[in-house]
Amino acid sequence: MTFYEVIKPELIKKKDISYMLILGLQGSPRKKGNTDYLLKAFMNEAENSGAKTHIIEVAKKNISPCLGCGYCEKKGKCVIEDDDMTREIYSLLWQADAIVAATPIYFYSATAQLKALIDRSQTLWSRKYRLNLIDPGRKTRQGFLLSIGATKGKNLFDGMRLTARYFFDAVGADFHGSLTYSMIENKGDIKKHPTFLDDVKEQVGSLLKPLLGRKKILFACIGNTCRSQMASAFAQYFAGDKIEALSGGSRPELEINPVMVEAMEEKGIDTAFRKTQSLESAISDVKPDMIITMGCGEECPYVPGATVKDWDLPDPAGKSIDFMRTVRDEIEKRVRELVESISD
Ligand SMILES: Cc1cc2nc3c(=O)[nH]c(=O)nc-3n(C[C@H](O)[C@H](O)[C@H](O)COP(=O)(O)O)c2cc1C
């Protein structure tokens, strides 16, 4: 199958929306409760503004509490491998451009379900502070807190704000702001709050403003395991504030290449939790401004209105780490040039 065959013009939706992902963590175990309603209103507004959204119903996930064993501080991964945190959530946290943590106050803090997720983010904390690896999404990722409590004490949200601040730091996000509502107790109380919808609109606008309008660049190769992953990571790392970088493969493999991860770690850049995806999925609802292919000869993809460039780089998959390093350095050089040309 050629690149051209994969990117058929009719597959591309022409909506001018972004790749940006807003990840919501719904921390209340109560079905259709106040937190659920508030978070949905927030995400709805984000979608209307052009972002993609995904809500994790934390109470429905299998998340074991942190064991405090210190394994992640040495190995950079969690010793608990068979739950949803390792299977799915670490990767989503680092894929997200903004993370919205939503929780009712339980004893001046988050619910136990959300707290388990927060504690397990210690693995991401360890990768940054113990292994000195930088997740390239850090440059732009934002964190936002939504919280609700039944009483009206003036310190009601102090504990949760502190917890959120340290959680957002661990997952590589700036604490952008919060919306907190006291005296909200019974199901549906939030709907009667006089300003909450206006508050949501205002806060979503300020959260997304710096993230919208970036140049959308899709890096494409065949397996989406090495070249396009490195290129998109460098683009995010050097210019996440100007570029929305995405990658895809015409025949994506199941996993990213561990030698690529090692070579990027030598540069201090963390790609460990990245996933592969097909070009079809990459362009399913976004039209990129530019597509950069990694060596497709005459099979370069065609997307109406998008500039296509071919970097013509050799495929390092299955080769030595030295070969991977050579390709990595060439990609880094080209991404730097690309960023300069965009900044001019
Ligand atoms: C176990 C538990 C602990 C709670 N602790 C507090 C608290 O410390 N302070 C407070 O104001 N409300 C407390 N609440 C009330 C909830 O925060 C409040 O009812 C909220 O609206 C529930 O949100 P939900 O509908 O999203 O679940 C507690 C509720 C439960 C079930």
Side-chain angles (χ1 to χ4, degrees):
M1 192 189 299
T2 66
F3 278 117
Y4 182 80
E5 282 162 350
V6 171
I7 301 194
K8 293 191 176 98
E10 65 271 19
L11 282 176
I12 300 156
K13 293 196 187 135
K14 305 237 167 36
K15 277 189 287 176
D16 187 23
I17 65 168
S18 96
Y19 292 137
M20 177 170 39
L21 174 69
I22 314 299
L23 180 66
L25 308 175
Q26 203 291 91
S28 173
R30 179 151 76 165
K31 282 187 190 134
K32 298 192 175 168
N34 296 306
T35 310
D36 177 63
Y37 195 85
L38 178 60
L39 179 62
K40 281 189 180 137
F42 199 93
M43 299 304 247
N44 197 32
E45 185 63 32
E47 274 193 16
N48 290 340
S49 308
K52 289 183 187 178
T53 63
H54 179 81
I55 294 180
I56 298 177
E57 292 289 340
V58 179
K60 290 190 186 153
K61 294 290 174 185
N62 168 16
I63 302 174
S64 304
C66 175
L67 299 173
C69 63
Y71 185 85
C72 63
E73 295 195 27
K74 294 189 194 83
K75 304 280 182 192
K77 59 181 186 173
C78 186
V79 74
I80 305 165
E81 290 189 331
D82 58 351
D83 73 352
D84 292 331
M85 201 67 202
T86 297
R87 271 194 293 268
E88 166 193 2
I89 298 174
Y90 288 130
S91 168
L92 278 169
L93 287 168
W94 272 4
Q95 204 187 314
D97 292 276
I99 298 167
V100 185
T103 182
I105 294 296
Y106 277 14
F107 290 87
Y108 283 84
S109 187
T111 60
Q113 290 86 346
L114 183 61
K115 188 62 169 42
L117 184 155
I118 289 172
D119 290 350
R120 291 282 298 288
S121 71
Q122 178 75 358
T123 296
L124 305 184
W125 180 93
S126 295
R127 295 185 76 81
K128 178 181 179 191
Y129 291 108
R130 292 283 183 258
L131 306 183
N132 299 317
L133 295 171
I134 304 285
D135 151 37
R138 274 177 190 275
K139 189 148 196 165
T140 45
R141 188 175 303 120
Q142 300 293 309
F144 199 91
L145 171 68
L146 297 175
S147 193
I148 281 167
T151 57
K152 60 173 180 180
K154 81 173 177 19
N155 301 323
L156 182 56
F157 300 103
D158 288 1
M160 191 55 231
R161 274 204 196 92
L162 269 176
T163 305
R165 181 166 301 284
Y166 286 96
F167 168 59
F168 288 138
D169 182 62
V171 298
D174 280 349
F175 191 175
H176 184 90
S178 60
L179 278 177
T180 54
Y181 296 95
S182 51
M183 293 190 287
I184 303 289
E185 182 164 19
N186 299 312
K187 266 190 189 185
D189 279 357
I190 189 69
K191 293 184 205 174
K192 298 177 215 148
H193 190 281
T195 64
F196 97 94
L197 272 179
D198 289 339
D199 301 342
V200 161
K201 221 177 165 57
E202 188 187 332
Q203 291 302 322
V204 170
S206 108
L207 181 71
L208 299 192
K209 199 170 169 210
L211 300 172
L212 289 165
R214 291 174 292 163
K215 209 172 179 71
K216 300 187 255 297
I217 303 186
L218 170 65
F219 296 92
C221 65
I222 297 169
N224 191 215
T225 65
C226 299
R227 291 168 295 177
S228 57
Q229 291 284 355
M230 290 192 276
S232 62
F234 276 127
Q236 247 188 326
Y237 182 72
F238 292 130
D241 51 341
K242 296 188 192 75
I243 296 174
E244 265 189 73
L246 201 77
S247 67
S250 54
R251 273 171 279 144
E253 306 268 347
L254 287 177
E255 307 275 346
I256 55 169
N257 187 310
V259 183
M260 182 279 291
V261 174
E262 199 183 326
M264 290 300 276
E265 283 183 359
E266 290 173 358
K267 288 265 162 190
I269 298 179
D270 201 348
T271 54
F273 293 102
R274 289 185 173 235
K275 303 254 187 222
T276 58
Q277 70 169 337
S278 68
L279 289 174
E280 278 154 308
S281 142
I283 57 155
S284 63
D285 45 18
V286 183
K287 181 169 110 33
D289 300 305
M290 187 186 279
I291 300 172
I292 299 184
T293 57
M294 300 290 138
C296 60
E298 293 183 355
E299 299 176 359
C300 286
Y302 167 71
V303 173
T307 316
V308 181
K309 286 187 183 165
D310 184 27
W311 281 358
D312 197 14
L313 294 163
D315 188 355
K319 308 258 170 63
S320 68
I321 180 126
D322 278 338
F323 194 81
M324 185 70 76
R325 288 182 183 123
T326 312
V327 176
R328 173 201 67 194
D329 293 345
E330 183 58 31
I331 290 176
E332 180 181 1
K333 189 176 125 244
R334 292 187 193 207
V335 170
R336 282 180 187 276
E337 287 165 4
L338 174 76
V339 169
E340 262 177 42
S341 72
I342 285 172
S343 311
D344 289 344

